[in-house]
């Protein structure tokens, strides 16, 4: 099965909202996003192209912008672009350049999608990205949810707009092979080759060593991430069923002259820390309380 058929099958299996909806594609000009745009076009989906110029690589960034603009013109699809002063934003908010770019990018994408009625935003993350994310989370420390990699479908903030990753089924090598076979041009980001970022270290040093131990490591990891994701969802379901606000079987503590207080220690699966929650019989809304506070 070629990449286009796998792409269509993945979209259907995961119920991604692209066949009936309007999708805004995040296109950097790299091979992953260029292939994604071509797959959307060949599949007959309705889409537009958005490109962020973070002005981090001088003339190279400007050339990327022109390349993506020409790509959208050749596909006869709407094109959006914006330039960001990423370094100033990072310094002003005391965050890393990568985090600044992420915040700027998704805030702008959401603005476009809301203004122009796009139902979803698609990024070209693939299987390698998901595995690298899980490995980085494991190295830095995380709970169960942090070991599940990248989700193929999430809500963007509090909006109804969905952030999708329709290439998560494919490896970086499979995407590059498709681009070469179909003679697709793309841009190379010179910063991806260095080891300045932790992700690049994992990508260029750690993953190749793991592939020496298991040549099929990426697909083995894909199965493991899926199992961990299913486990995390099951645990959340059990917590909601047996410890959620809708369940009335909670430990109850009554104090003389005070309304009854219901307390519950719940596990935050992302931080792997216990969080204490409390509500009174007169106020059914749950509120978190400091650990130093009394149980009841």
């Amino acid at each position: 099965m070629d990449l286009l058929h796998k792409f269509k099958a993945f979209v259907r299996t995961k119920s991604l909202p692209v066949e009936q909806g309007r999708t805004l594609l995040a296109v950097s000009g790299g091979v992953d996003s260029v292939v994604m745009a071509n797959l959307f076009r060949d599949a007959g989906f309705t889409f537009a192209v958005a490109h962020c110029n973070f002005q981090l690589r001088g003339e190279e960034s400007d050339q990327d912008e022109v390349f993506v603009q020409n790509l959208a013109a050749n596909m006869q699809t709407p094109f959006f672009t914006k330039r960001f002063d990423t370094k100033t934003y990072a310094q002003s908010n005391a965050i890393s350049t990568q985090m600044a770019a992420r915040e700027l990018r998704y805030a702008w994408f959401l603005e476009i999608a809301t203004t122009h009625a796009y139902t979803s935003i698609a990024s070209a993350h693939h299987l390698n990205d998901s595995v690298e994310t899980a490995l980085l989370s494991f190295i830095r420390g995380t709970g169960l949810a942090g070991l599940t990699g990248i989700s193929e479908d999430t809500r963007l903030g509090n909006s109804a707009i969905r952030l999708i990753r329709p290439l998560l089924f494919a490896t970086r090598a499979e995407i590059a092979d498709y681009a070469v076979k179909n003679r697709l041009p793309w841009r190379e980001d010179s910063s991806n080759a260095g080891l300045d970022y932790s992700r690049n270290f994992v990508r260029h040093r750690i993953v190749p060593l793991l592939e020496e131990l298991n040549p099929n490591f990426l697909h083995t990891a894909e199965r493991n991430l899926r199992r961990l994701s299913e486990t995390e969802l099951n645990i959340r379901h059990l917590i909601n069923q047996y410890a959620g606000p809708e369940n009335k079987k909670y430990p109850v503590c009554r104090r003389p002259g005070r309304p009854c207080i219901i307390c519950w220690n719940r596990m935050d699966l992302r931080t792997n820390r216990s969080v204490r929650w409390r509500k009174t019989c007169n106020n059914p809304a749950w509120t978190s309380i400091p650990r130093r506070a009394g149980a009841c």
Side-chain angles (χ1 to χ4, degrees):
M1 186 184 296
D2 65 18
L3 199 69
L4 178 59
H5 287 89
K6 289 181 180 179
F7 170 72
K8 291 179 178 179
F10 184 80
V11 164
R12 287 193 300 270
T13 301
K14 300 299 182 180
S15 300
L16 300 183
V18 298
E19 295 184 275
Q20 304 300 325
R22 288 158 43 85
T23 308
L24 181 68
L25 306 187
V27 179
S28 66
V31 63
D32 310 325
S33 58
V34 168
V35 167
M36 179 177 68
N38 277 269
L39 290 173
F40 265 78
R41 182 198 59 188
D42 294 345
F45 299 150
T46 301
F47 68 96
V49 168
H51 175 78
C52 299
N53 185 340
F54 295 113
Q55 303 187 88
L56 295 173
R57 293 177 289 115
E59 185 179 350
E60 191 175 337
S61 294
D62 296 338
Q63 291 172 353
D64 290 348
E65 182 179 353
V66 172
F67 173 84
V68 178
Q69 183 176 9
N70 291 335
L71 175 70
N74 291 334
M75 291 184 171
Q76 297 182 333
T77 190
F79 174 68
F80 303 91
T81 186
K82 185 172 182 178
R83 297 189 173 197
F84 298 96
D85 189 349
T86 312
K87 289 185 177 180
T88 299
Y89 181 88
Q91 293 172 356
S92 300
N93 292 275
I95 56 177
S96 67
T97 303
Q98 285 183 308
M99 183 59 67
R102 175 183 172 83
E103 290 184 3
L104 291 168
R105 174 170 64 244
Y106 286 117
W108 181 57
F109 289 160
L110 181 58
E111 179 185 336
I112 298 173
T114 302
T115 303
H116 298 276
Y118 290 101
T119 53
S120 61
I121 298 166
S123 68
H125 291 94
H126 45 66
L127 179 57
N128 295 63
D129 293 320
S130 186
V131 172
E132 290 162 8
T133 296
L135 287 173
L136 280 169
S137 296
F138 182 82
I139 292 168
R140 294 167 175 166
T142 185
L144 178 58
L147 299 176
T148 60
I150 299 174
S151 173
E152 70 275 352
D153 187 2
T154 58
R155 296 286 181 184
L156 192 56
N158 296 321
S159 73
I161 296 168
R162 291 158 70 173
L163 176 61
I164 61 174
R165 283 96 172 192
L167 295 188
L168 280 182
F169 68 93
T171 65
R172 181 180 290 110
E174 290 169 337
I175 292 171
D177 184 60
Y178 178 87
V180 171
K181 286 182 178 179
N182 289 274
R183 299 180 179 179
L184 302 179
W186 71 83
R187 297 278 300 168
E188 289 287 355
D189 184 343
S190 58
S191 65
N192 288 335
L195 299 177
D196 296 337
Y197 300 116
S198 299
R199 180 175 292 274
N200 285 358
F201 186 87
V202 169
R203 177 179 302 166
H204 298 303
R205 293 284 184 87
I206 296 179
V207 171
L209 290 175
L210 293 173
E211 288 178 318
E212 288 185 17
L213 291 173
N214 177 4
N216 200 38
F217 166 72
L218 288 172
H219 289 291
T220 300
E222 178 186 22
R223 292 192 295 272
N224 291 338
L225 295 181
R226 185 169 62 250
R227 294 184 187 116
L228 288 168
S229 181
E230 291 169 353
T231 300
E232 194 259 352
L233 288 174
N234 288 334
I235 291 175
R236 284 188 179 277
H237 172 73
L238 291 173
I239 289 176
N240 288 332
Q241 182 176 359
Y242 296 107
E246 71 280 2
N247 193 305
K248 301 304 179 183
K249 297 180 180 179
Y250 295 102
V252 177
C253 174
R254 296 180 183 273
R255 293 182 180 180
R258 296 188 182 184
C260 67
I261 299 174
I262 304 173
C263 299
W264 191 262
N265 289 336
R266 302 181 67 179
M267 183 67 71
D268 185 328
L269 296 178
R270 293 199 174 274
T271 62
N272 210 27
R273 294 178 180 176
S274 176
V275 180
R276 181 166 294 169
W277 297 83
R278 178 173 64 185
K279 70 177 181 179
T280 66
C281 296
N282 295 331
N283 181 10
W286 284 95
T287 57
S288 61
I289 59 176
R291 293 292 298 172
R292 62 180 178 274
C296 289

